[in-house]
Amino acid sequence: MVSAGEIEIFRHSLKRIVEEMGVTLQRTAYSTNIKIRRDHTCAVFDADLRHAAQHDIAPQHIGSLVEVIPRVMKDRDDLEPGDGILINDPYKGAVHLPDVMLISPLFVDDEIVGYAANSAHHVDIGGPTPGGIPTDSTSLYGEGVIMPGVKAVEDWEYDDEMLSLITRNVRNPEMRTGDYQAQLGANRIGEQRMRELYDEYDGGSVGSLLDELYDYTEQLVRSAIVDLPDGTYEATDYMDGDGISDEPLKLTLTIRIEDDEMTLDFTGTASENKGPLNCTPAMVFAGTMAVVMALLAEEIPKNDGFYRPFEIVTPEGTMVNPSYNRPVAAGWEIAVRSGDLVTKAMADAVPEETIAATKGIICNIAYDGTDPRNDEQYVYYETVGGGYGARATKDGMDGVQAHYQNTANSPIEELETEVPLYVRQYEFIRDSEGAGRNRGGLGIRRDVEFYDHEGTFTVLSDRTKHEPWGLFGGKSARPARYLVDPDGDTEELDSKTTVTLDPGDVVSVQTPGGGGYGDPYERNAESVLSDVINEKVSKEKAHNEYGVMIDTENRTIEWDATEQLRSERSDGGDH
């Protein structure tokens, strides 16, 4: 019997491998989206196609890798050392098309002992809309290049014709080529380190250690589920619309806990959409499991054993399991909201561990035009952070990415260097938080000017109509807004749109805040004063929603007025 200590040493050896793969991919990539924002994930799988280890940079991609590897590799009998398979097909277990996966078999003594895999978000994948985020697509064919699982690498080199076919169909082919090469380099590091691991453990013991690791992980997860109260828990939210219609779309989740097993059931969710607001089962798997992992115990290993106690139900023909070749470009918007539904559903079961609603959006943004500095076309993709939900003991974080997203906000210097745009404003949005005993986090305002040239701006997002909710008396947060000329003759944009901008036009992305937790009148008055001084909360909101009177000139609390205001509310009076 292997000891727990031996298992821990072994699993950290695996984790070291995937972490080095991730660093290799990040440092050799060309695009800001990978090298700075770190929108990529690396993993290794065993010879039986079971998930062995992942690195924790972008957990959303694990959902697709866990789905894809068994489906795509199980019938391959033509693999040689140094081969590589490219896939982004959502209907073979992947997600939306910009997330391209490279899978490489790992050989030791002419035998496949596992697979190195990574997924990286490419800034462009072809199709009509720069950035790979079409807002009005009605078919998968309108969203870019589809790779169904093709052998594109032999002897650790891309097939030139295959790579040229792919890159001819995308914008900025040189940059895209650099990112594909970075993915290949990451998997080669995975192969080298796995060979070393087999040498270290004398080969034969690795398989048994993996079995022990999976069983050990399963036991930890089941023990954590047993600690949760049995029962059925439900939550519902609504999406803005699918890009074709503005009709709100219902997303509903039922969680059933029985002994040491958990079911996450999306029965009741809206039917599949004509537009790109559809989500593959792999996406919703990632969206829910990332939050479940955090609720159960962060330190539990993430591998095949983790997933065994769970069942995820995604009814066919709904927007979480659409019919073949439906568009899915905006699917991550559904997936990140499904994570919020986990925390909302579990609020009564684990009130001290859960959080209020986060910004609840990915906020896909793309800029495109001809660079007047060199007359070449550019395309730039990013996502923008927002408010995190408040917790039982802490405020929500300001201006962060939520749940599984975990990507960085693009630095101003990087954006202005890479593309011909000026960032005119980049700041937290005052009063965007949901008020509460603990307040939600603030959203971000990011204004960008297109100077010297005409360009296009695309937003594929959500959360303009339905506010991020609060918990236990906490208030909802400010929703998203997308504007052209925000300080002048303002034009408000839908959450899924592409517009052409003239030289000098400014577009403003304003993300949601996070919901509040608990009664705002119970918030520490000194904390309210601090927020007002730091321009996070206005004097008016301090009065109207927190019941705190602030003397802004002297930067002090008017204690008598505050106590009277709060006592009137507690006595049932107006405030």
Side-chain angles (χ1 to χ4, degrees):
M1 187 70 171
V2 179
S3 70
E6 289 174 299
I7 294 174
E8 282 294 308
I9 292 171
F10 177 70
R11 72 115 166 172
H12 281 286
S13 296
L14 289 171
K15 190 170 183 180
R16 174 180 55 81
I17 292 171
V18 292
E19 287 176 346
E20 186 176 355
M21 289 171 63
V23 170
T24 301
L25 178 48
Q26 178 187 357
R27 291 186 177 179
T28 57
Y30 281 36
S31 68
T32 296
N33 196 52
I34 300 174
K35 70 181 180 182
I36 301 297
R37 297 189 64 252
R38 303 183 302 173
D39 196 346
H40 66 280
T41 295
C42 298
V44 291
F45 291 74
D46 67 18
D48 295 321
L49 306 173
R50 297 175 298 180
H51 178 214
Q54 70 183 65
H55 85 316
D56 298 326
I57 296 298
Q60 69 266 33
H61 295 155
I62 291 301
S64 55
L65 290 170
V66 170
E67 287 268 339
V68 161
I69 305 300
R71 292 180 62 178
V72 173
M73 305 308 290
K74 66 179 180 179
D75 295 324
R76 302 289 306 224
D77 57 4
D78 59 340
L79 298 175
E80 300 290 339
D83 283 352
I85 307 297
L86 281 176
I87 180 169
N88 69 347
D89 190 339
Y91 294 93
K92 290 192 174 183
V95 286
H96 67 171
L97 297 183
D99 287 325
V100 180
M101 283 152 272
L102 179 65
I103 308 165
S104 302
L106 305 175
F107 282 81
V108 172
D109 297 331
D110 298 322
E111 180 182 354
I112 294 179
V113 298
Y115 300 85
N118 65 70
S119 180
H121 185 122
H122 285 254
V123 171
D124 194 78
I125 198 65
T129 305
I133 50 171
T135 60
D136 58 357
S137 55
T138 57
S139 166
L140 185 68
Y141 299 114
E143 296 191 331
V145 178
I146 305 170
M147 304 174 213
V150 294
K151 185 186 288 188
V153 177
E154 292 184 2
D155 197 22
W156 294 110
E157 290 188 3
Y158 280 102
D159 179 274
D160 288 340
E161 292 190 356
M162 179 67 71
L163 191 58
S164 65
L165 173 64
I166 294 170
T167 57
R168 178 63 183 89
N169 285 279
V170 302
R171 299 162 183 86
N172 287 118
E174 295 83 4
M175 185 173 289
R176 305 291 82 76
T177 299
D179 288 345
Y180 281 111
Q181 294 290 357
Q183 289 184 264
L184 183 59
N187 280 7
R188 188 154 199 184
I189 286 292
E191 185 217 31
Q192 294 169 3
R193 298 297 177 257
M194 283 297 288
R195 282 179 180 272
E196 294 169 2
L197 184 71
Y198 267 77
D199 288 343
E200 180 182 350
Y201 282 90
D202 197 22
S205 63
V206 172
S208 60
L209 281 168
L210 284 167
D211 290 338
E212 293 278 359
L213 173 60
Y214 301 150
D215 291 344
Y216 169 67
T217 301
E218 180 182 1
Q219 292 172 13
L220 292 176
V221 176
R222 290 189 183 278
S223 295
I225 295 174
V226 165
D227 289 339
L228 300 174
D230 284 358
T232 299
Y233 309 96
E234 299 179 351
T236 296
D237 205 346
Y238 290 86
M239 312 296 292
D240 287 352
D242 69 351
I244 305 298
S245 168
D246 290 335
E247 180 182 355
L249 298 163
K250 183 180 181 181
L251 180 66
T252 188
L253 172 64
T254 300
I255 298 177
R256 289 185 288 273
I257 301 174
E258 185 174 356
D259 194 22
D260 63 354
E261 295 187 343
M262 181 184 295
T263 300
L264 299 104
D265 188 349
F266 286 87
T267 299
T269 290
S271 299
E272 60 192 14
N273 302 306
K274 292 182 179 179
L277 191 68
N278 293 297
C279 176
T280 69
M283 286 173 157
V284 80
F285 172 86
T288 53
M289 290 308 299
V291 177
V292 168
M293 288 174 179
L295 282 174
L296 291 181
E298 181 182 355
E299 67 276 7
I300 295 178
K302 312 304 186 298
N303 57 49
D304 180 81
F306 192 103
Y307 312 119
R308 293 174 183 173
F310 299 96
E311 179 184 7
I312 298 185
V313 179
T314 54
E316 294 183 4
T318 65
M319 66 179 182
V320 294
N321 191 357
S323 302
Y324 191 66
N325 285 337
R326 287 280 188 178
V328 295
W332 284 124
E333 298 294 326
I334 298 173
V336 73
R337 196 73 63 82
S338 73
D340 270 352
L341 289 188
V342 173
T343 66
K344 187 177 185 181
M346 296 300 293
D348 289 333
V350 286
E352 297 299 311
E353 285 78 28
T354 195
I355 63 171
T358 70
K359 63 166 183 162
I361 57 173
I362 296 296
C363 195
N364 300 282
I365 301 295
Y367 312 107
D368 166 74
T370 299
D371 193 333
R373 299 172 295 187
N374 54 23
D375 291 328
E376 294 182 359
Q377 185 181 20
Y378 71 85
V379 58
Y380 191 91
Y381 168 89
E382 67 173 335
T383 65
V384 183
Y388 202 70
R391 296 154 281 179
T393 59
K394 294 181 180 179
D395 292 341
M397 294 173 284
D398 301 323
V400 297
Q401 308 286 9
H403 297 327
Y404 61 71
Q405 201 175 357
N406 201 37
T407 49
N409 293 320
S410 300
I412 293 174
E413 298 82 359
E414 180 75 21
L415 191 155
E416 293 184 342
T417 299
E418 187 167 320
V419 295
L421 302 174
Y422 286 140
V423 178
R424 293 305 190 190
Q425 277 188 255
Y426 187 30
E427 62 188 18
F428 294 136
I429 303 171
R430 185 166 63 174
D431 289 345
S432 57
E433 92 294 354
R437 184 181 74 242
N438 294 313
R439 66 164 178 82
L442 300 180
I444 288 176
R445 174 174 176 171
R446 191 172 174 99
D447 292 5
V448 175
E449 178 186 349
F450 286 68
Y451 68 87
D452 293 345
H453 69 290
E454 180 183 276
T456 65
F457 167 76
T458 299
V459 55
L460 184 61
S461 190
D462 208 83
R463 209 41 130 179
T464 59
K465 299 176 182 177
H466 303 280
E467 299 172 337
W469 35 264
L471 285 177
F472 306 115
K475 300 297 183 69
S476 296
R478 181 184 186 268
R481 298 185 72 193
Y482 309 101
L483 312 169
V484 176
D485 194 13
D487 296 322
D489 189 14
T490 303
E491 175 189 359
E492 189 127 11
L493 303 175
D494 292 333
S495 60
K496 301 167 184 66
T497 192
T498 297
V499 293
T500 300
L501 300 173
D502 294 324
D505 280 349
V506 174
V507 65
S508 181
V509 176
Q510 301 181 14
T511 63
Y517 189 110
D519 186 347
Y521 267 49
E522 295 177 3
R523 182 165 178 77
N524 180 281
E526 295 284 358
S527 296
V528 178
L529 173 62
S530 176
D531 283 339
V532 172
I533 291 173
N534 289 306
E535 299 184 350
K536 295 185 175 185
V537 173
S538 67
K539 175 183 177 179
E540 292 73 23
K541 188 168 187 177
H543 169 264
N544 294 333
E545 296 202 22
Y546 293 97
V548 177
M549 298 292 291
I550 304 293
D551 180 346
T552 51
E553 182 176 350
N554 295 305
R555 308 176 88 180
T556 58
I557 298 169
E558 297 180 9
W559 285 108
D560 290 344
T562 295
E563 291 172 3
Q564 180 177 353
L565 189 60
R566 289 187 162 188
S567 65
E568 287 175 356
R569 211 291 292 270
S570 64
D571 291 339
D574 294 332
H575 66 281

